[in-house]
Amino acid sequence: MSKAADIVLVGGSAGSYHLIVDIIESLPPFFSSALVVVIHRNPKFKTRLEDTLSTRLHRPIIQAGDKTAISPNMIYFAMPGYHLLIEPDRTFSLDISDPIQFSRPSIDVLFESAAEVYGSRCTALLLSGANRDGTDGMTAIREMGGKAMVQCPEDAQISTMPENAIRVNDGIDIISDQQIISYFRNLK
Amino acid sequence: MAKLSVSHISFIELQEVVDLLRKVSGYDLSGYSKSSLKRRVQRVLDLERMDLFDLKNAITNIESFRGYLVNELTVNVTEMFRDPHYYATLRSEVVPYLETYPSLKFWSAGCSTGEEVYSLAILLKEVGLYDRSFIYGTDINGNVLETARKAIYPLKKFKLYSENYNASSAQDSLSNYYTAMYDAAIINNEIRKNILFSQHNLATDYIFNEFQFISCRNVLIYFDMDLQNRVFRLFYDSLCEFGFLCLGSKETLLNRDIMSNFKVINKEFNIYQKIR
Ligand SMILES: C[S@@+](CC[C@H](N)C(=O)[O-])C[C@H]1O[C@@H](n2cnc3c(N)ncnc32)[C@H](O)[C@@H]1O
């Protein structure tokens, strides 16, 4: 299977669930990037988020599997209970090392490893949450020439996560929920 | 908070470290997943306040550093009865086969500090098979094996372990199998007697016995496809006919050539049986 040249990442925690659903529903039927979503959720509860959305939208939405290719026009979710990383050959890789910022999967871990592999062809969006996961990941993406965007704290249900990312990353793009949806509606 | 790291290594530099380590020692990490290995190397650099130059120097000149490094690079996170439903599935779908053997050999490959081995021992005890069983626990990391042999764990971990145990459709109470002493728990002797822990490197070592059951959970995610295939071959060769292979919940044999020699016993928990 061919591999995507561009990757778009979305990281969310508490209060980001509904916006993530809206984002996925707004996507065009075809886009050439790969979209990877990491959302903090309890591995003990089997949320069938992927299956529910997949049935509703009539398109595959899958958990990113170990050593599988990152393909265009695909929507992946990070599995609960594992960190998700990206290999230089553009495949996914899982890791069960300790949680980071109390989180596994950690947004930082995915963002940092995607930044390294995709460089300027990496775009990331950080959403609502009650901790400080994602901030270091945003820094890494900017350092490697990628594009980093943060949900406007006023729009976020819980603003801690976006606020922290904004405080540490001077001049980072801050976008409203409306802009977020229009960005994904026009995803290439 | 600013990062402590003195320097950030790239994938190219990581490759240099791997090549050097292989050249000067028996350790071959070339088949490991690059992204997580890089994080682990970076962690050692941060911890030791070294840069790449220091690291290469230490690998070349200090023999004891090499073993230390490999131990630090492995991820040893584990639990008793991790994935409780996996253990429930073993009871219901694997134990009935195992009961037909007069004696049983088990191999837990990449057993870390031993929690998986003792979980298996407890399960075997409860289904009445432990007296005719022997379990080998192996790992590349000598330090975790030392802990596994001692069988002493922080007592605070047993809240989670008990929850896991209770969710594994076990009948008893986990506290029957350990003795609490201050803030530590030691696994009871009756569970420890038929177990041997020893060092074995899945990337470079060979078959050492024949088994009815092999479990290798949450180890293969650290390997690339080629090394995974090598290890699958090793397990295949080490299993007796109709022996079982159990992988981690996110590790699958499907789509691999060797799958034609196995049958799926349980898809969700990646339990396979050798059929030819
Ligand atoms: C995440 S732990 C898994 C422990 C346990 N099996 C479980 O699922 O809870 C991975 C273990 O694999 C071991 N390991 C890594 N590379 C290995 C190799 N080449 N040979 C044997 N063990 C290895 C590590 O030292 C570590 O203890």
Side-chain angles (χ1 to χ4, degrees):
Chain A
M1 209 191 255
S2 75
K3 291 177 186 166
D6 297 85
I7 196 163
V8 179
L9 313 166
V10 176
S13 189
S16 67
Y17 181 88
H18 293 291
L19 184 55
I20 287 175
V21 172
D22 290 347
I23 285 173
I24 290 171
E25 290 187 332
S26 70
L27 289 167
F30 183 85
F31 49 90
S32 63
S33 318
L35 175 63
V36 188
V37 180
V38 44
I39 175 168
H40 296 153
R41 47 183 167 171
N42 189 332
K44 293 243 155 69
F45 303 109
K46 273 209 186 125
T47 38
R48 284 268 142 257
L49 176 62
E50 296 86 351
D51 292 351
T52 318
L53 280 171
S54 190
T55 328
R56 193 157 87 214
L57 301 177
H58 305 291
R59 66 187 302 163
I61 298 177
I62 59 175
Q63 294 197 337
D66 187 51
K67 310 287 143 42
T68 57
I70 303 174
S71 303
N73 198 31
M74 282 296 295
I75 306 165
Y76 301 98
F77 273 78
M79 313 213 181
Y82 293 77
H83 291 306
L84 181 63
L85 294 97
I86 289 172
E87 292 288 292
D89 68 357
R90 295 167 187 228
T91 56
F92 290 114
S93 172
L94 302 176
D95 171 18
I96 196 148
S97 59
D98 286 319
I100 294 184
Q101 308 286 355
F102 310 102
S103 312
R104 193 178 62 204
S106 140
I107 301 173
D108 282 336
V109 169
L110 174 67
F111 283 15
E112 285 170 6
S113 104
E116 182 101 18
V117 173
Y118 287 86
S120 65
R121 317 216 46 173
C122 175
T123 304
L125 171 65
L126 188 68
L127 305 177
S128 164
N131 56 34
R132 43 153 299 148
D133 195 13
T135 293
D136 292 346
M138 291 261 123
T139 311
I141 284 170
R142 298 174 91 205
E143 271 172 11
M144 302 304 292
K147 186 170 162 58
M149 306 181 290
V150 184
Q151 180 184 21
C152 173
E154 283 88 67
D155 281 358
Q157 280 186 28
I158 301 174
S159 60
T160 319
M161 215 159 78
E163 264 164 6
N164 198 72
I166 293 165
R167 191 168 48 74
V168 174
N169 294 282
D170 255 348
I172 196 167
D173 282 345
I174 302 168
I175 64 174
S176 69
D177 282 9
Q178 218 182 348
Q179 289 169 305
I180 290 174
I181 296 301
S182 100
Y183 173 83
F184 283 99
R185 186 166 287 142
N186 297 308
L187 190 67
K188 294 285 178 294
Chain B
M1 211 175 68
K3 281 236 174 103
L4 286 172
S5 56
V6 195
S7 78
H8 279 283
I9 69 157
S10 65
F11 281 115
I12 293 167
E13 291 165 339
L14 176 72
Q15 195 56 50
E16 291 168 13
V17 171
V18 169
D19 290 344
L20 178 64
L21 186 65
R22 191 182 42 204
K23 221 173 75 195
V24 299
S25 74
Y27 293 113
D28 184 357
L29 303 180
S30 56
Y32 279 60
S33 307
K34 306 271 178 290
S35 47
S36 69
L37 187 62
K38 184 159 144 318
R39 284 189 78 86
R40 300 301 283 180
V41 172
Q42 187 67 54
R43 190 181 140 270
V44 171
L45 292 178
D46 294 353
L47 225 62
E48 300 292 328
R49 310 215 166 215
M50 285 177 151
D51 60 17
L52 188 68
F53 182 80
D54 302 329
L55 179 68
K56 287 185 176 171
N57 239 332
I59 293 174
T60 313
N61 298 314
I62 311 171
E63 207 186 314
S64 59
F65 181 81
R66 297 166 203 158
Y68 160 82
L69 178 66
V70 170
N71 288 349
E72 287 298 317
L73 295 183
T74 59
V75 171
N76 310 118
V77 176
T78 187
E79 286 169 23
M80 280 185 94
F81 293 95
R82 172 184 259 171
D83 305 320
H85 296 121
Y86 157 71
Y87 286 92
T89 309
L90 286 187
R91 269 173 201 267
S92 59
E93 292 176 42
V94 178
V95 165
Y97 285 94
L98 296 178
E99 280 170 339
T100 63
Y101 289 92
S103 78
L104 292 157
K105 275 179 283 185
F106 295 78
W107 178 15
S108 164
C111 67
S112 190
T113 39
E115 283 87 336
E116 180 180 301
V117 173
Y118 294 120
S119 307
L120 199 57
I122 289 169
L123 184 150
L124 292 172
K125 177 97 192 157
E126 293 186 346
V127 298
L129 289 178
Y130 193 49
D131 287 338
R132 49 179 147 130
S133 299
F134 200 89
I135 312 176
Y136 294 82
T138 64
D139 203 284
I140 189 178
N141 180 331
N143 287 347
V144 292
L145 292 171
E146 225 14 78
T147 307
R149 283 185 200 108
K150 290 200 183 105
I152 303 174
Y153 304 103
L155 188 60
K156 63 173 191 289
K157 292 190 169 181
F158 278 72
K159 186 179 175 296
L160 171 69
Y161 294 177
S162 290
E163 281 169 22
N164 286 351
Y165 172 87
N166 294 336
S168 76
S169 82
Q171 310 292 313
D172 241 313
S173 157
L174 188 60
S175 60
N176 291 347
Y177 304 106
Y178 66 86
T179 308
M181 286 181 313
Y182 304 102
D183 50 4
I186 177 156
I187 305 290
N188 291 345
N189 258 326
E190 51 158 6
I191 295 304
R192 297 171 57 182
K193 59 182 185 188
N194 298 344
I195 295 173
L196 184 75
F197 290 104
S198 64
Q199 211 157 8
H200 181 278
N201 184 342
L202 291 167
T204 48
D205 291 339
Y206 300 97
I207 175 167
F208 65 94
N209 213 321
E210 195 184 59
F211 300 93
Q212 277 75 37
F213 180 104
I214 297 174
S215 83
C216 183
R217 312 193 72 224
N218 301 303
V219 181
L220 295 163
I221 48 175
Y222 295 103
F223 298 166
D224 66 19
M225 288 280 237
D226 289 345
L227 183 51
Q228 287 182 1
N229 286 332
R230 178 205 195 261
V231 176
F232 288 145
R233 183 76 220 179
L234 173 66
F235 291 157
Y236 174 79
D237 291 338
S238 306
L239 278 173
C240 69
E241 208 184 349
F242 304 120
F244 293 90
L245 175 61
C246 303
L247 308 177
S249 332
K250 305 302 172 196
E251 297 162 330
T252 169
L253 212 57
L254 302 177
N255 309 322
R256 301 307 171 95
D257 292 344
I258 207 148
M259 184 61 217
S260 57
N261 298 307
F262 287 88
K263 109 176 183 214
V264 180
I265 296 293
N266 183 286
K267 191 156 173 275
E268 185 178 3
F269 294 107
N270 298 306
I271 302 175
Y272 306 91
Q273 185 174 30
K274 173 169 168 176
I275 49 167
R276 61 174 72 88

